[in-house]
Amino acid sequence: MLLIDCPCCGVSGEETEFAPGGEAHIVRFGPGSSDAEFSSYLFDRKNPRGVHFERWRHAFGCGKWFHMARSTQTLEVFGVYKADVTTPPQDILDRVEAAKAEGRVK
Amino acid sequence: MSEVDMSLARPLLEGVSDTGAGGLKLSVQPLRGMVTLRADLSEASVAAAVKAAVGSDMPGVRKATDTALWMSPDELMLLMPYGEAADAVAVLTEKLSGVHHLAVDVSDARTLFRLEGSAAREVLAKGAPVDLARDKFAVGDLRRTRISHVAAAFWQSGDGPDVFEILCFRSYAKYLWEWLEESSREGSMPGVL
Amino acid sequence: MSQSHRLETGGVLVDRTRQIKFLFDGKSYSGHPGDTLASALLANGVKLVNRSYKYHRPRGVVSSGPEEPNALVNLGNAGTHEPNIRMTQIELHDGLDATSQNRFPSLEADVGVLNAAASRFYPAGFYYKTFIHPRHAWKYFWEPVIRRIAGLGKAPTHADSAQYEHTYAFCDVLIAGGGVAGLIAAKAAGEAGARVILAEQTERLGGRLLVDDDAEIDGKSARVWLEETIAALEAMDNVTIRLRTCCSAAYDHNYCLLYERSGDRGEAAQVRHRLWRVRTGRVIAATGMIERPIAFNYNDLPGVMLASAVRDYVKLWGVSPGEKTVVYTTNDDGYRTALALAEAGCTVRAILDSRREPDGPLVGAARALGLEIRPNTGIGKAKAKRNKLASIETVDFDNPEAPGTTIECDCVAMSNGWSPVVHLYSHSGGKAMWDEEAVMYRPDPANPPRGRDAEAMVHVAGGAHGALTTDAVVAQAAAVAAEVLAELGMGGTAAVPDVSATAETPTHPVWVTPSAGKAALGGKHFLDFQNDVTVADVALAAREGYESVEHAKRYTTLGMATDQGKLSNINGHAILGKTLGKTMAEVGTTTFRPPYTPISFGSIAGRETGNLFKPVRETALHGWHAARGGDWEPVGDWRRPYRYQQGSEDRDTSIHRECLRVRNTVGVLDASTLGKIIVKGPDAAKFLDMMYTNMMSTLKPGKCRYGLMNNENGFLMDDGVVVRLDEETFLCHTTSGGADNIHGWFEEWLQTEWFDLKVYTANVTEQFTQIAVAGPKARDLLNSLDSDIDFNALPFMSMAEGTLAGCPVRAFRISFTGELSFEFATPVSFGLALWEVLHAKAEELGGGTYGTEAQHILRAEKGFVVIGDETDGTVTAHDVGMGWAVSKKKEDFIGKRAMERSDLTRPDRKQLVGLMTEDPTEVLPDGAHGVEGGKAIGHVTSTYFSPTLKRSIAMALINGGQGRFGEVIEVSTAKNKTARAVICDPVFYDKKGERQDV
Ligand SMILES: [Zn+2]
């Protein structure tokens, strides 16, 4: 069972305190968007076997949404970061690159 | 002229159970005034409003004072005598005039339990995924989590190292009461905390 | 019966001063405290304890621990009954009542033994083959036969009367196993100040050191060192030692399960089993090794045991498993059993050794005692008399066809070397590798199970790592402990004890002992005792193409019994390799999965059974409803009164009475479960314009508006009345059970998409008791009460704040029944007081309560939709005829873009209509399909008998239905039965809405 650090309240809690929210950094397309854009927003998900940037909510805790970078294959966690950003922070991307260099993820 | 008759307000659940292990005592606390305050907690005006409304300093992250509980990065639960929540909301509204915030009386939305006794930590550890070792969870510490299936907040009251206040939504109170009572049984503690 | 096989002396675990009486198959026996059920039965000379799963072969105890494949029993009766418990793990206690399994009518005279004669009909893959052809044979022949003859214990028929617990625990180092390696690691970690949990599955610490005590540690005898070490650990506050506690699993991110059997000893324990949910910094698996059996012809007879188990019974329990024992070994360690037997005064008939020139101190000691050693020799065949081992025939490995010597014996002690218990290392992805020299799978240090930060989360110490002798175990465990502590930043330099141990020479494993003649095929050379899998079965699987170890396992069921192949896997894989001409490393091994040994269902459930199984949410009026005949409808976790029964009336009578009461006089309804969310801030109106299909920003303070909510797919997900409390503050009502979801939904958008909006929300659902007062006499009722609200002046879809009968209220003039209706929200503590007043007044006016079913009928008569009844996640606002609630002015709202998709604008989509059956008494089944030309054209979403209209009514989603009013369709009501119904406007009653707006 995952052990998750909430970047909003600082709790290191077990997975049962949290609710998953799927892939992160998906751009919303609304009225005026093309069918292709809207379809990609609604349906296209990477579902990788490897590094996944994803959304979680500290549902039984502080109630806040946040992001986590995690390997879906090994469950290694590269970091957590707040919800109000549209791209992962550089230090987490660096950690992902390091894990790739060491052959832990693809 | 019609007025509110405070004598009509009755708690839904009352009771004391002191049959638990090692002198454990579980009780439903009398009705308490509660106000949810959502605001930018780093604002000096918010701290001042809290001080004015309930006399408490701004609690630290995941900390509880006698009258203010840290619930979330932008949320406090303020405590006061039952029936005085409207006054507290009025003070907050006045002090935070022009400051984006939400203050709402939620005195009736939750039930407050008190669990005291040397085995209190072990009772909570049966259902809450929280490290409750004495040096990891001490007086003033607060945690929002789940106990068994129920969302709850608990904190260590200033009344001593083995006194816990437990807050849950009112509709779940009977379940949590029964769970706490069952989990307090003599002879059922792991005996490690 | 006397304890005929209890030795005069020895047995460090048993207390000979006390007797314990127990029952096995209804017969009374006696043993001592400290015995297991297995040791006590052996002490009583009981060797036949079970029948095998498939062939009903007689079976006896093989081992002395959790690896036991044969000696499974049913334990207890009625509320304490539990099947398939290993005798070797049952501590003897007063009142113990065990029965053998899988036999009829008795162990001695089991009729299922005929299976054995027919065993050529049950080859490897038997189940797969019988599944295939002919198909009906499975159903009519094989399944009934197999159900009768195959199987383990009986499933319990009574509720479990015991108590079970869970607990969460946290530590820096969790040590699994309290043998030498675990103790060394615990002491090092404890001295370094780490929080340590040491879990030992048996009731004793020391592991094999209690039996194999020929080493000296730090210049002390093994026993003295053990006592001193345990005392030191017990004195450490930071070390928790749990006996009878098995580390069952090591899951992701250092989450482990401990299974504690603290209350399995007969006394009325408060806690029978406890499941520990442990999060640890690191795991040290000091789980030791399991001895391997040897495959030979009829190696499954009662009396054939693991060599280590034989000496365990002698030295730990003072029991002689046999009077005349043959030791069959492939290594030096087997000689320890011969020495222990000889020392205890038992007869060792011979030591058969697979090696050509056995040598070393242990072999020398056996020679010095004059024990007969036969090198390069094995057991060609075992023979039985009266279901028990009677003799063996030796075989010369170089000349298997030559006649061997017959040796009479009642016990064989076999040892084929040892396998490290690598389970915990494997549970979360660690790999084991084959060590050809040591002849074992051991943890591969290059592929450990990794934790959250990619750290190696399970470290392996001692025997589990492959260390065979005490000196190697101690040195390796100390090194692992130091490594773990260094990783945790708690590094110190613990002194490594100095050990002098007896040297051992290498093993020469025997995967199958050659037999002469027909037996050479290996048909009765058992590998997996519990599942009756033989050498021939595995070889056949390989020949039939099941070359992958995972396939062969499933095809033969090798290792798939409750013991998970603890004794059989390695030998089986070796046979597979041998047949395929592959090395062990090439064959590979199957994946070990948790739990290590079976755990009880009770421990999984913990306290959460009965009334604690799942929370039920109760409104403030729950007790009131219950006392007045309310029967419950679950709505999410809530319970709402479906109707109130008077006397012994049936459901329809109650419901129809309640409907007519609202239409004719006045009814009161507990509406507390409706969600209530406060949305406040300068951007609140803008935000709600995005969340609802309607325009909310134009709502005036004090006014109410019915709102619809879409998901981004353009489908309806919730609805409710929105009230604007002031310029910046809205109160949003949601469906019952929708409150948490919708509150979460609001927060999701505010936190993750529009975090620039200045909006706060609060879920105040639980703050209020909400009561609907509906019916033509509603205003009369309210006007008779003390209030500062003018109910004559409060317009439809408006809100007022004030007091009512001494209770603080918000009054909403809204209607979900089509009648003149008000809803009141009062703080929960006032809820019962307000309800009692309103109910009493309603009764005075000839009205009373109504429940959720009456509410459902009343709204259906009005054609009001219920989210979840008329909608199913694929239905739009337009589909249900509520296009009027979808703003055309707003640039954007959730689901707007989706509603422009071609499929959502098709004219022939399923659309909400009313249905009236031609026979007005016929009520259509819920969900019934409309059919046309043999094709479904839609389905019924709500269907009732309307007491108001005195006929059946239904709502349905029908293809293009809104253009088909007046057409008659067929609705399927049962198999080959239809009813005719006319499509109509779904508003059946008061089409102009005059009754609610008075
Ligand atoms: Zn949090």
Side-chain angles (χ1 to χ4, degrees):
Chain A
M1 191 185 328
L2 302 184
L3 180 67
I4 298 174
D5 291 345
C6 174
C8 303
C9 72
V11 152
S12 188
E14 72 166 42
E15 197 177 332
T16 60
E17 271 190 21
F18 297 82
E23 186 175 324
H25 308 308
I26 288 174
V27 177
R28 179 173 186 264
F29 283 97
S33 57
S34 69
D35 280 356
E37 285 167 335
F38 189 63
S39 162
S40 80
Y41 160 55
L42 270 192
F43 305 120
D44 292 354
R45 298 295 181 268
K46 297 191 180 82
N47 194 24
R49 185 169 190 259
V51 183
H52 194 227
F53 296 92
E54 58 196 16
R55 309 184 316 150
W56 286 82
R57 186 185 185 210
H58 196 184
F60 279 90
C62 69
K64 294 299 177 205
W65 284 88
F66 59 91
H67 291 124
M68 180 156 82
R70 181 179 69 103
S71 164
T72 59
Q73 189 179 356
T74 65
L75 307 185
E76 179 175 353
V77 173
F78 306 105
V80 291
Y81 51 104
K82 297 260 172 83
D84 58 353
V85 293
T86 51
T87 50
Q90 192 56 45
D91 61 323
I92 288 176
L93 293 174
D94 291 346
R95 248 169 274 153
V96 169
E97 286 311 311
K100 282 181 181 166
E102 286 162 30
R104 292 202 303 275
V105 283
K106 293 208 173 88
Chain B
M1 182 62 200
S2 60
E3 280 187 5
V4 173
D5 177 357
M6 287 303 291
S7 72
L8 296 177
R10 278 167 289 182
L12 295 182
L13 193 63
E14 290 178 297
V16 177
S17 169
D18 51 8
T19 55
L24 262 178
K25 185 177 164 193
L26 170 67
S27 53
V28 182
Q29 296 297 87
L31 288 174
R32 185 94 64 101
M34 297 183 207
V35 169
T36 286
L37 174 64
R38 295 199 59 182
D40 182 347
L41 303 185
S42 65
E43 284 277 333
S45 58
V46 175
V50 168
K51 187 86 179 171
V54 294
S56 172
D57 290 334
M58 182 62 71
V61 173
R62 284 183 284 120
K63 296 286 178 188
T65 71
D66 286 347
T67 53
L69 314 175
W70 190 97
M71 302 298 272
S72 178
D74 58 4
E75 183 178 344
L76 299 179
M77 178 69 80
L78 305 178
L79 306 175
M80 67 283 309
Y82 188 75
E84 295 180 15
D87 298 342
V89 170
V91 171
L92 292 166
T93 306
E94 188 213 320
K95 296 280 177 190
L96 293 174
S97 151
V99 178
H100 173 42
H101 75 284
L102 165 61
V104 57
D105 176 2
V106 289
S107 307
D108 294 76
R110 291 172 178 82
T111 299
L112 184 59
F113 297 101
R114 174 181 278 230
L115 181 65
E116 48 197 305
S118 56
R121 286 166 195 278
E122 299 222 293
V123 174
L124 291 173
K126 292 179 182 191
V130 176
D131 190 349
L132 288 157
R134 280 165 199 278
D135 57 339
K136 305 277 179 182
F137 200 90
V139 169
D141 281 340
L142 175 144
R143 178 70 184 255
R144 284 179 81 179
T145 181
R146 58 178 184 84
I147 300 176
S148 180
H149 298 281
V150 177
F154 54 77
W155 63 98
Q156 267 220 268
S157 134
D159 296 349
D162 295 318
V163 183
F164 287 82
E165 313 264 353
I166 306 162
L167 199 57
C168 77
F169 275 116
R170 191 220 357 106
S171 65
Y172 288 106
K174 202 172 126 200
Y175 179 91
L176 190 56
W177 167 270
E178 286 171 0
W179 188 92
L180 288 166
E181 205 179 20
E182 286 264 309
S183 299
S184 297
R185 283 183 191 221
E186 190 76 60
S188 71
M189 303 303 155
V192 290
L193 284 175
Chain C
M1 194 191 270
S2 66
Q3 296 182 35
S4 56
H5 286 59
R6 186 75 70 180
L7 296 164
E8 293 294 318
T9 58
V12 294
L13 300 180
V14 293
D15 172 8
R16 290 172 185 258
T17 64
R18 272 193 56 212
Q19 299 274 326
I20 288 178
K21 294 255 178 262
F22 68 98
L23 293 173
F24 178 63
D25 277 346
K27 196 166 164 184
S28 180
Y29 298 92
S30 73
H32 297 301
D35 265 326
T36 65
L37 178 56
S39 71
L41 283 173
L42 287 170
N44 284 279
V46 178
K47 292 201 170 173
L48 171 62
V49 297
N50 201 358
R51 289 279 176 174
S52 72
Y53 176 74
K54 203 157 82 176
Y55 302 144
H56 286 240
R57 290 182 54 78
R59 291 286 163 81
V61 175
V62 175
S63 75
S64 58
E67 66 271 32
E68 177 60 38
N70 280 346
L72 308 184
V73 284
N74 286 311
L75 217 50
N77 292 294
T80 64
H81 172 92
E82 197 176 8
N84 303 335
I85 310 299
R86 295 162 298 285
M87 278 183 186
T88 48
Q89 291 190 293
I90 300 167
E91 292 176 52
L92 202 66
H93 54 265
D94 284 312
L96 182 109
D97 183 357
T99 48
S100 58
Q101 301 185 161
N102 200 29
R103 83 299 191 261
F104 178 82
S106 73
L107 272 178
E108 301 287 344
D110 176 63
V111 297
V113 75
L114 290 171
N115 281 4
S119 66
R120 67 190 183 85
F121 295 118
Y122 303 93
F126 161 72
Y127 290 92
Y128 295 89
K129 287 165 180 162
T130 51
F131 276 134
I132 289 170
H133 56 86
R135 282 179 193 280
H136 61 268
W138 173 255
K139 187 174 175 189
Y140 295 106
F141 179 68
W142 288 113
E143 186 180 339
V145 167
I146 289 164
R147 283 201 188 283
R148 200 163 57 242
I149 60 176
L152 297 170
K154 288 198 171 73
T157 52
H158 289 64
D160 191 337
S161 59
Q163 304 285 330
Y164 299 88
E165 287 274 353
H166 284 180
T167 192
Y168 282 95
F170 297 81
C171 60
D172 299 312
V173 183
L174 170 63
I175 297 165
V180 181
L183 294 172
I184 292 275
K187 191 148 174 283
E191 282 168 354
R195 263 206 291 181
V196 177
I197 297 176
L198 172 63
E200 162 55 40
Q201 65 185 346
T202 70
E203 81 302 338
R204 59 191 183 270
L205 295 172
R208 295 223 56 79
L209 206 58
L210 291 167
V211 179
D212 302 332
D213 50 4
D214 46 327
E216 270 191 6
I217 307 177
D218 272 345
K220 295 161 193 159
S221 75
R223 178 148 291 271
V224 168
W225 178 85
L226 190 57
E227 279 167 10
E228 287 179 6
T229 304
I230 293 170
L233 285 172
E234 284 172 344
M236 293 183 198
D237 282 343
N238 54 326
V239 176
T240 299
I241 301 172
R242 300 305 282 204
L243 301 177
R244 303 179 176 86
T245 304
C246 178
C247 183
S248 289
Y251 294 109
D252 313 311
H253 290 194
N254 295 33
Y255 178 72
C256 299
L257 287 186
L258 307 184
Y259 174 55
E260 181 178 26
R261 299 181 302 122
S262 50
D264 261 346
R265 281 161 290 150
E267 68 272 36
Q270 277 293 327
V271 181
R272 179 164 180 244
H273 298 157
R274 177 181 287 113
L275 203 63
W276 292 64
R277 310 169 73 166
V278 181
R279 191 73 69 165
T280 181
R282 293 286 188 283
V283 178
I284 295 181
T287 43
M289 300 180 134
I290 291 176
E291 197 172 29
R292 293 189 291 251
I294 310 176
F296 57 86
N297 196 15
Y298 292 111
N299 61 340
D300 66 326
L301 289 172
V304 179
M305 299 170 71
L306 295 175
S308 57
V310 169
R311 66 180 186 272
D312 284 352
Y313 287 111
V314 170
K315 294 182 82 167
L316 294 176
W317 292 289
V319 170
S320 154
E323 278 156 13
K324 292 169 285 180
T325 302
V326 170
V327 174
Y328 178 16
T329 186
T330 65
N331 57 73
D332 283 8
D333 190 59
Y335 286 77
R336 285 198 170 92
T337 300
L339 296 170
L341 285 164
E343 195 183 325
C346 303
T347 306
V348 177
R349 297 298 311 268
I351 302 172
L352 314 182
D353 195 321
S354 64
R355 298 171 296 181
R356 286 181 191 279
E357 289 168 2
D359 197 10
L362 290 165
V363 178
R367 267 198 201 106
L369 285 178
L371 301 180
E372 186 192 351
I373 299 169
R374 299 195 187 187
N376 198 34
T377 304
I379 296 179
K381 185 179 200 171
K383 288 180 184 161
K385 245 183 221 160
R386 287 189 211 89
N387 292 329
K388 276 171 234 164
L389 176 71
S391 64
I392 59 106
E393 208 176 291
T394 62
V395 63
D396 177 348
F397 282 103
D398 288 339
N399 190 6
E401 294 293 334
T405 324
T406 296
I407 305 176
E408 278 183 25
C409 59
D410 59 354
C411 178
V412 165
M414 58 184 168
S415 177
N416 199 17
W418 293 76
S419 291
V421 176
V422 297
H423 294 63
L424 292 178
Y425 196 74
S426 305
H427 283 172
S428 284
K431 297 277 182 285
M433 60 174 191
W434 181 253
D435 181 335
E436 187 63 42
E437 200 171 323
V439 197
M440 59 175 71
Y441 273 105
R442 57 200 301 174
D444 177 0
N447 286 296
R450 293 196 183 274
R452 185 171 66 156
D453 301 318
E455 80 283 9
M457 67 182 218
V458 178
H459 295 246
V460 184
H465 195 270
L468 275 165
T469 53
T470 309
D471 48 344
V473 165
V474 168
Q476 200 274 339
V480 164
E483 186 188 326
V484 164
L485 291 166
E487 281 181 26
L488 292 172
M490 296 172 170
T493 41
V496 179
D498 190 37
V499 184
S500 68
T502 312
E504 294 181 31
T505 56
T507 180
H508 178 73
V510 174
W511 304 122
V512 56
T513 316
S515 302
K518 263 197 330 197
L521 296 173
K524 291 290 177 283
H525 295 56
F526 285 89
L527 294 167
D528 184 324
F529 296 116
Q530 197 170 122
N531 266 355
D532 277 341
V533 180
T534 65
V535 168
D537 289 329
V538 174
L540 176 65
R543 287 200 305 277
E544 291 188 354
Y546 294 87
E547 297 183 5
S548 145
V549 65
E550 296 285 359
H551 292 160
K553 164 184 165 171
R554 282 157 183 82
Y555 192 60
T556 60
T557 73
L558 175 85
M560 291 176 72
T562 66
D563 62 342
Q564 293 281 291
K566 290 187 176 62
L567 297 187
S568 62
N569 277 350
I570 305 301
N571 289 354
H573 298 170
I575 300 297
L576 189 64
K578 207 174 148 210
T579 314
L580 297 169
K582 288 182 178 174
T583 65
M584 284 295 271
E586 285 166 343
V587 169
T589 184
T590 52
T591 308
F592 294 106
R593 299 188 196 282
Y596 174 61
T597 46
I599 67 175
S600 61
F601 281 113
S603 70
I604 296 169
R607 281 269 168 226
E608 275 124 37
T609 60
N611 59 328
L612 296 178
F613 180 66
K614 191 174 192 302
V616 165
R617 301 178 74 178
E618 298 185 356
T619 77
L621 312 177
H622 190 92
W624 193 97
H625 302 316
R628 284 160 183 82
D631 58 6
W632 302 114
E633 176 182 26
V635 182
D637 288 345
W638 293 101
R639 292 295 176 275
R640 302 190 67 185
Y642 179 84
R643 53 119 189 196
Y644 300 82
Q645 186 180 30
Q646 288 184 359
S648 59
E649 69 186 3
D650 64 15
R651 281 192 152 193
D652 284 350
T653 309
S654 317
I655 292 161
H656 294 172
R657 187 189 64 248
E658 291 170 8
C659 285
L660 293 172
R661 160 184 288 167
V662 174
R663 291 277 179 246
N664 298 329
T665 57
V666 61
V668 288
L669 173 93
D670 181 1
S672 305
T673 58
L674 287 180
K676 305 158 201 85
I677 299 164
I678 298 281
V679 177
K680 187 190 172 193
D683 296 321
K686 188 175 166 191
F687 172 64
L688 292 182
D689 275 349
M690 289 301 292
M691 303 310 293
Y692 286 89
T693 63
N694 329 52
M695 187 83 92
M696 290 300 171
S697 50
T698 56
L699 189 61
K700 299 275 181 287
K703 292 291 177 189
C704 309
R705 183 168 288 163
Y706 173 76
L708 283 179
M709 239 182 277
N710 270 344
N711 57 24
E712 274 287 55
N713 290 291
F715 299 129
L716 292 173
M717 66 181 281
D718 208 86
D719 68 345
V721 171
V722 177
V723 188
R724 192 166 198 163
L725 299 176
D726 59 43
E727 198 53 43
E728 283 200 353
T729 314
F730 293 81
L731 168 62
C732 301
H733 290 100
T734 75
T735 54
S736 294
D740 292 341
N741 286 343
I742 299 302
H743 181 236
W745 177 243
F746 284 0
E747 283 291 331
E748 181 178 347
W749 287 101
L750 287 170
Q751 291 179 35
T752 69
E753 189 71 22
W754 300 311
F755 30 82
D756 50 329
L757 289 185
K758 283 186 182 311
V759 178
Y760 286 124
T761 72
N763 185 351
V764 296
T765 304
E766 297 256 24
Q767 166 71 9
F768 299 102
T769 291
Q770 194 132 331
I771 303 168
V773 179
K777 293 187 179 175
R779 198 174 273 135
D780 298 344
L781 185 159
L782 299 171
N783 285 336
S784 71
L785 295 172
D786 184 30
S787 179
D788 52 5
I789 301 168
D790 183 349
F791 295 107
N792 299 322
L794 186 64
F796 187 51
M797 298 306 273
S798 298
M799 184 275 298
E801 289 180 284
T803 64
L804 179 63
C807 302
V809 293
R810 275 198 191 110
F812 310 103
R813 174 84 195 279
I814 53 181
S815 177
F816 196 47
T817 58
E819 295 299 323
L820 172 66
S821 173
F822 298 83
E823 283 192 20
F824 296 94
T826 190
V828 161
S829 304
F830 289 88
L832 187 58
L834 183 60
W835 172 264
E836 283 178 335
V837 169
L838 293 170
H839 175 255
K841 288 285 175 192
E843 286 205 326
E844 278 176 29
L845 294 168
T849 52
Y850 65 107
T852 54
E853 185 64 359
Q855 167 71 83
H856 272 94
I857 295 176
L858 293 165
R859 64 90 202 177
E861 290 170 348
K862 287 288 300 169
F864 296 154
V865 305
V866 167
I867 300 290
D869 281 357
E870 275 62 59
T871 70
D872 60 5
T874 66
V875 174
T876 69
H878 296 288
D879 294 340
V880 294
M882 290 206 282
W884 54 266
V886 180
S887 168
K888 292 185 184 64
K889 290 184 195 148
K890 293 193 292 184
E891 267 180 36
D892 192 7
F893 57 83
I894 300 292
K896 180 177 169 72
R897 172 64 182 85
M899 290 170 89
E900 295 164 1
R901 288 184 292 173
S902 56
D903 188 62
L904 271 64
T905 52
R906 272 191 295 122
D908 58 344
R909 284 180 64 80
K910 285 187 188 176
Q911 291 163 342
L912 189 72
V913 297
L915 287 181
M916 284 198 286
T917 46
E918 288 190 342
D919 172 0
T921 64
E922 177 162 24
V923 179
L924 295 170
D926 205 349
H929 284 264
V931 285
E932 210 166 51
K935 282 192 176 150
I937 55 164
H939 63 276
V940 171
T941 59
S942 291
T943 171
Y944 307 96
F945 185 84
S946 161
T948 312
L949 303 167
K950 297 191 172 47
R951 61 153 297 125
S952 87
I953 58 169
M955 293 158 86
L957 287 164
I958 299 292
N959 291 348
Q962 277 157 17
R964 301 183 59 179
F965 289 1
E967 289 181 30
V968 174
I969 58 166
E970 302 274 323
V971 181
S972 168
T973 55
K975 199 173 181 183
N976 300 325
K977 267 183 81 177
T978 56
R980 287 167 61 80
V982 62
I983 298 177
C984 61
D985 181 355
V987 184
F988 296 94
Y989 181 67
D990 183 25
K991 286 190 197 293
K992 290 184 181 160
E994 288 164 340
R995 297 179 64 88
Q996 67 190 14
D997 196 12
V998 291

